[in-house]
């Protein structure tokens, strides 16, 4: 046999295909070089003809845009190609496809192959995604054409096999809350996305499949794509039972409607001793569930975690004097809300008045990773909580520099959370033990934490109580019950107004809220939580 790089006249098709396969292997092996801009092919391998690649991309563009006559004209069989492309999606209820070309390969026989990925959106179900490839050959007149074959549309499309869409529907799954009370998006608008997610996970909603079938008999040969979730086993096919309490949920919905003032806002309430989520509310109620999936800087509510780290290390005591100047520069200038200052303040007073500069001045008392490690070890932050629907469970990565570390001390920089995580942090401070939040009673996640030492938890509760009686959360002081809280004002950017935060607990219930552009926690988030707590009798847990 002559060497692979020696052409031989009259070469038959089969050896050419083998050579093409080798070229594909070489292209894959050289992927790193391709990404770096050096070209996808090993030295000595043929490069794809640019005119062929251009023709393949034009064919895919015409097909995706519905210009099927034009697409057909780019093939060696224009009429059959146009007819097949037009009939391929008949009955499949496919919208505008997305066809993405991959790097081309060339064979010694003069052929060029352009692989592509097809994403076919099936109405109401999802995307049917598969891979295929376009073979191209040079024509006698020097132009390039797609060498037409049914299999290039889909590798399994043939003269004997085609595709069929089969739809099925599962009755909407009922979702209930505490006491088996029915829950609906009509009664509780903020729960609409939550109910949809829970119902889908339990097998509710539309289902379907794209089947490969025999053209003559209609017999199903294979399932090419399946959509929807197989029904989950439920006791007697009954409702999905959740931890949502209709009383807390109604109070949260009403408070957001009256106090958010058209701003994006969110709130979560949960039972501190179990982690059971009692209310999830958003304004606006439709769309993104910012209450559990939002990614915000939590601002000074995070000082609960920072204080824990400092107390665990005996770096300060509540009575330790930690001065609170107007400004402190660590790479950039940090300041307090409204440029306040409290000379000669104790650490407890710094907490209740939410003094940024005092907390930042203590940054050297902690290692760079310590606050994040405390957040994970004692509060479960950054672990996968699996609450029953998708959620963001917080992040506290190690700072990149001293400015990052200073920002992290006050819940800014890379620290991220949402009402779910901050309600959980308030719950842990109240009880001394992290309980993984959940929407499904009786379920327990895999987060692993340690209980707070008793003296640390006691001091946290005392400082949170003082924040209500003498500090920035005084707006809650008129309510009955033993209430503790921490407010927060989180910077978004130099141009945007601050977000307002509060994380609180009362009688075994933890609650947290954020108001985007709320300016401060005291001004925006505290009134919102006040309305919720005022609407629910003290002692209801």
């Amino acid at each position: 046999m002559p060497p692979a790089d020696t052409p031989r006249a009259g070469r038959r098709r089969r050896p050419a295909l083998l050579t093409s396969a080798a070229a594909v292997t070489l292209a894959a092996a050289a992927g790193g070089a391709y990404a770096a801009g050096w070209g996808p092919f090993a030295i000595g391998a043929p490069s794809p003809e640019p005119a062929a690649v251009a023709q393949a991309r034009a064919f895919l563009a015409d097909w995706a845009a519905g210009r099927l006559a034009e697409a057909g004209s780019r093939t060696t069989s224009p009429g059959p190609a146009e007819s097949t492309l037009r009939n391929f999606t008949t009955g499949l209820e496919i919208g505008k496809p997305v066809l993405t070309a991959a790097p081309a390969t060339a064979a010694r026989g003069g052929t060029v192959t352009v692989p592509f990925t097809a994403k076919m959106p099936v109405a109401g179900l999802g995307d049917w995604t598969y891979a295929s490839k376009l073979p191209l050959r040079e024509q006698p007149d020097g132009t390039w054409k797609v060498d037409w074959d049914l299999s290039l549309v889909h590798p399994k499309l043939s003269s004997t096999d085609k595709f069929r869409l089969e739809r099925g529907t599962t009755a909407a799954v009922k979702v209930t809350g505490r006491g088996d009370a029915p829950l609906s998006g009509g009664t509780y608008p903020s729960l609409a996305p939550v109910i949809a997610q829970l119902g889908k996970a339990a097998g509710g909603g539309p289902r379907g499949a794209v089947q490969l079938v025999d053209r003559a008999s209609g017999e199903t040969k294979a399932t090419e794509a399946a959509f929807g979730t197989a029904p989950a086993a439920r006791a007697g096919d009954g409702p999905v039972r959740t931890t949502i309490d209709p009383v807390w949920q109604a109070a949260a919905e009403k408070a957001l409607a009256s106090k958010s003032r058209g701003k994006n806002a969110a709130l979560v309430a949960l039972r501190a001793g179990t982690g059971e989520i009692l209310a999830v509310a958003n304004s606006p109620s439709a769309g993104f569930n910012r209450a559990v999936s939002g990614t915000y800087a939590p601002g000074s509510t995070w000082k609960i975690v920072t204080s824990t780290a400092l107390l665990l290390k005996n770096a300060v005591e509540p009575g330790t004097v930690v001065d609170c100047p107007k400004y402190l520069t660590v790479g950039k200038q940090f300041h307090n809300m409204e440029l306040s200052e409290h000379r000669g303040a104790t650490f407890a007073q710094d907490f209740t008045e939410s003094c940024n500069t005092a907390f930042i001045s203590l940054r050297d008392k902690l290692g760079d990773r310590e606050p994040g490690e405390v957040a994970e070890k004692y509060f479960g932050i950054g672990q996968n909580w699996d609450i029953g629907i998708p959620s963001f469970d917080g992040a506290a990565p190690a700072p990149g520099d001293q400015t990052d570390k200073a920002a992290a001390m006050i819940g800014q920089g890379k620290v991220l959370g949402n009402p779910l995580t901050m309600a959980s942090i308030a719950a842990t401070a109240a009880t001394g033990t992290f309980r993984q939040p959940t929407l499904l009673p009786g379920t327990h996640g895999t987060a692993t934490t340690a209980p707070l030492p008793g003296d640390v938890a006691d001091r946290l509760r005392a400082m949170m109580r003082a924040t209500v009686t003498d500090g920035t959360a005084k707006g809650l002081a008129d309510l009955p019950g033993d209430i503790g809280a921490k407010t927060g004002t989180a910077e978004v950017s130099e141009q945007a107004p601050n977000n307002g935060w509060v994380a609180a607990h009362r009688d075994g219930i933890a609650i947290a809220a954020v108001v985007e552009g709320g300016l401060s926690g005291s001004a925006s988030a505290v009134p919102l939580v006040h309305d919720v707590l005022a609407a629910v009798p003290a002692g209801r847990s």
Side-chain angles (χ1 to χ4, degrees):
M1 175 178 287
D5 58 355
T6 303
R8 182 167 59 183
R11 176 176 288 176
R12 292 180 296 175
R13 186 175 181 84
R14 181 62 177 170
L17 288 176
L18 289 173
T19 306
S20 177
V24 172
T25 302
L26 286 171
Y34 180 78
W38 301 335
F41 301 102
I43 296 175
S47 298
E49 173 61 44
V53 176
Q55 184 73 295
R57 292 182 177 274
F59 170 84
L60 293 175
D62 286 338
W63 179 8
R67 299 186 294 265
L68 304 184
E70 289 88 339
S73 70
R74 299 182 185 280
T75 74
T76 54
S77 299
E82 178 186 355
S83 177
T84 298
L85 294 176
R86 198 173 301 281
N87 295 327
F88 171 60
T89 58
T90 300
L92 297 181
E93 301 178 35
I94 287 174
K96 185 177 180 181
V98 177
L99 307 170
T100 306
T105 61
R108 293 297 179 184
T111 60
V112 172
T113 299
V114 178
F116 69 94
T117 300
K119 183 184 289 185
M120 301 287 179
V122 182
L125 292 177
D127 292 330
W128 172 28
T129 303
Y130 62 87
S132 190
K133 56 187 177 182
L134 301 177
L136 295 104
R137 288 188 179 276
E138 188 174 11
Q139 305 303 298
D141 63 357
T143 63
W144 286 81
K145 297 281 188 181
V146 174
D147 196 5
W148 178 254
D149 188 85
L150 290 173
S151 63
L152 66 83
V153 178
H154 187 287
K156 293 185 180 179
L157 184 66
S158 68
S159 60
T160 59
D161 296 327
K162 65 176 184 177
F163 298 100
R164 180 175 66 208
L165 175 64
E166 294 183 356
R167 285 185 179 271
T169 55
T170 302
V173 175
K174 293 181 179 180
V175 178
T176 62
R178 184 176 185 178
D180 281 336
L183 302 177
S184 73
T187 305
Y188 309 104
S190 290
L191 290 183
V194 175
I195 290 170
Q197 288 173 313
L198 290 170
K200 184 177 180 181
R207 301 173 61 205
V210 176
Q211 308 281 14
L212 180 70
V213 300
D214 185 277
R215 289 181 183 270
S217 67
E219 176 187 358
T220 299
K221 293 187 172 182
T223 298
E224 294 302 312
F227 306 99
T229 306
R234 304 192 304 278
D237 289 328
V240 175
R241 291 180 168 83
T242 75
T243 59
I244 294 294
D245 186 318
V247 173
W248 282 101
Q249 185 65 37
E253 301 267 8
K254 184 177 180 180
L256 280 173
S258 64
K259 287 295 193 292
S260 63
R261 299 178 181 178
K263 299 180 183 296
N264 292 341
L267 178 148
V268 168
L270 54 81
R271 189 170 287 114
T274 63
E276 294 175 321
I277 297 171
L278 305 175
V280 175
N282 291 284
S283 178
S285 57
F288 181 58
N289 190 348
R290 53 181 48 82
V292 303
S293 296
T295 52
Y296 299 94
S300 291
T301 55
W302 190 257
K303 289 173 184 171
I304 298 172
V305 177
T306 308
S307 297
T308 300
L310 291 165
L311 293 171
L312 283 167
K313 203 169 183 181
N314 294 317
V316 292
E317 294 290 338
T320 303
V321 173
V322 184
D323 204 27
C324 175
K326 286 184 181 180
Y327 306 103
L328 185 64
T329 299
V330 184
K332 71 172 189 177
Q333 188 181 79
F334 291 89
H335 60 82
N336 302 316
M337 183 66 182
E338 298 179 345
L339 302 181
S340 61
E341 64 177 339
H342 302 277
R343 296 291 181 178
T346 64
F347 179 68
Q349 291 171 328
D350 293 326
F351 184 96
T352 61
E353 294 297 334
S354 203
C355 179
N356 291 335
T357 56
F359 272 77
I360 292 171
S361 72
L362 295 169
R363 67 192 182 281
D364 291 336
K365 302 284 187 181
L366 300 173
D368 288 354
R369 297 181 179 275
E370 279 189 89
E373 290 170 349
V374 166
E376 180 180 5
K377 179 178 179 180
Y378 295 97
F379 297 93
I381 296 299
Q383 301 191 46
N384 182 15
W385 291 0
D386 191 15
I387 69 170
I389 62 174
S391 65
F392 173 70
D393 307 325
D401 54 31
Q402 287 301 301
T403 304
D404 273 353
K405 185 177 181 180
M409 295 287 287
I410 58 173
Q412 297 277 174
K414 297 178 181 178
V415 176
L416 296 173
N418 52 41
L420 171 68
T421 58
M422 296 318 301
S424 178
I425 283 173
T428 301
T431 65
T433 303
F434 169 80
R435 271 92 175 187
Q436 182 162 303
T438 182
L439 279 164
L440 303 174
T443 61
H444 303 282
T446 58
T448 302
T449 60
L452 289 171
D455 60 334
V456 172
D458 288 344
R459 285 177 284 180
L460 284 176
R461 284 191 293 269
M463 292 192 298
M464 292 179 73
R465 179 61 183 159
T467 303
V468 173
T469 58
D470 302 306
T472 57
K474 272 188 177 180
L476 302 175
D478 65 314
L479 293 168
D482 183 14
I483 303 174
K486 182 70 192 79
T487 60
T489 301
E491 292 184 355
V492 178
S493 69
E494 292 184 2
Q495 293 76 32
N498 298 333
N499 292 339
W501 280 92
V502 68
H505 64 82
R506 182 186 75 176
D507 300 333
I509 303 299
I511 184 170
V514 62
V515 180
E516 294 182 23
L519 300 181
S520 74
S522 300
S524 58
V526 166
L528 197 163
V529 167
H530 181 282
D531 277 16
V532 176
L533 294 176
V536 181
R540 182 182 176 92
S541 60

